[in-house]
Amino acid sequence: MLSRQRLDRLRADIRFTAELGGRNLVIHSTWGLFSPREIDEGTRLLLKHLQVRPADDCLDLGCGYGPVGLAMAVLAPEGRTLMVDKDFIAVRYSNHNAERNAIHNARAQLSNGFDQIDPDLRFDLIASNLPAKVGSEMISLYLHDARDRLRAGGRLYLVTVNGLRQYLKRNLSEVFGNYEKLKQGARYTVALARLENGTAAADQC
């Protein structure tokens, strides 16, 4: 049986420093969130290949405690970054991490995919560390909803386990009419799709 002191230590925030968007940020996390002690390998690979413009309005889809969204907000100080997650603990930690690092152009809210995002919001950039276990049905919703919420010329960046690489290549090509593999690492692949001229090949799907 664990001692009271050990249990109290487990309940305390996990704290670490990470370089996100070129800034060293103090990150708080907790047990039960994904990769609570460090930025995971897939997210690190995604951030290496993410191109963010200063005025981009960004969306972090499935934000966890916020590393991708915070990095985008730092890199796009003239834009706004929204972070969403279906886990209320993740949303709370994302908001607290933005506050404690004085990142005032980022906020987090609860949403299962896009279902609670203001339907009038449009984004220049959407990024997600897409979990394989979410299932093909939810991935289909993510891709189609992302297409509908991007501005003309907007970009969707995804990092996935390599086992989903061909699946995403096929589905991004169908939904967006294009697909670019930015990097394939030992375990993860970073992919990019663009909304070209405000249209998409999947309007007929």
Side-chain angles (χ1 to χ4, degrees), residues 3 60 69 91 95 113 115-116 151 159 164-165 173 182 186 189:
S3 68
D60 178 1
V91 169
N95 277 322
D115 68 356
Q116 298 300 309
R151 295 184 177 124
V159 62
L164 283 177
R165 177 172 53 84
S173 297
L182 299 179
T189 296

Side-chain angles (χ1 to χ4, degrees), residues 28-193:
H28 285 225
S29 183
T30 190
W31 300 112
L33 295 179
F34 176 63
S35 191
R37 292 183 293 185
E38 62 181 1
I39 307 301
D40 67 284
E41 179 185 351
T43 293
R44 293 198 306 270
L45 189 65
L46 173 64
L47 291 174
K48 285 181 181 178
H49 296 276
L50 202 59
Q51 298 294 316
V52 185
R53 298 181 296 235
D56 278 344
D57 290 323
C58 305
L59 173 66
D60 178 1
L61 185 61
C63 60
Y65 49 80
V68 173
L70 296 176
M72 292 192 296
V74 169
L75 292 168
E78 301 166 30
R80 304 293 298 177
T81 293
L82 177 63
M83 303 178 283
V84 300
D85 202 290
K86 63 182 181 180
D87 186 331
F88 79 96
I89 297 296
V91 169
R92 187 177 77 186
Y93 274 86
S94 286
N95 277 322
H96 287 173
N97 284 327
E99 292 167 6
R100 66 174 46 94
N101 288 284
I103 301 174
H104 302 300
N105 61 326
R107 66 178 179 89
Q109 70 168 68
L110 277 171
S111 186
N112 184 25
F114 288 79
D115 68 356
Q116 298 300 309
I117 299 175
D118 182 344
D120 293 328
L121 286 179
R122 294 294 181 270
F123 303 96
D124 302 294
L125 189 160
I126 298 173
S128 183
N129 183 344
L130 198 61
K133 65 182 180 181
V134 74
S136 60
E137 297 85 358
M138 197 65 187
I139 292 175
S140 293
L141 289 173
Y142 283 167
L143 300 188
H144 285 82
D145 289 347
R147 178 202 64 187
D148 292 342
R149 298 301 187 90
L150 282 170
R151 295 184 177 124
R155 296 96 67 211
L156 172 64
Y157 287 86
L158 298 174
V159 62
T160 62
V161 294
N162 286 338
L164 283 177
R165 177 172 53 84
Q166 291 299 326
Y167 174 87
L168 277 181
K169 179 180 180 180
R170 181 173 66 253
N171 282 273
L172 285 171
S173 297
E174 290 176 357
V175 175
F176 283 84
N178 61 88
Y179 166 89
E180 183 180 353
K181 182 175 72 175
L182 299 179
K183 178 67 177 181
Q184 182 177 343
R187 298 175 58 199
Y188 296 93
T189 296
V190 180
L192 167 66

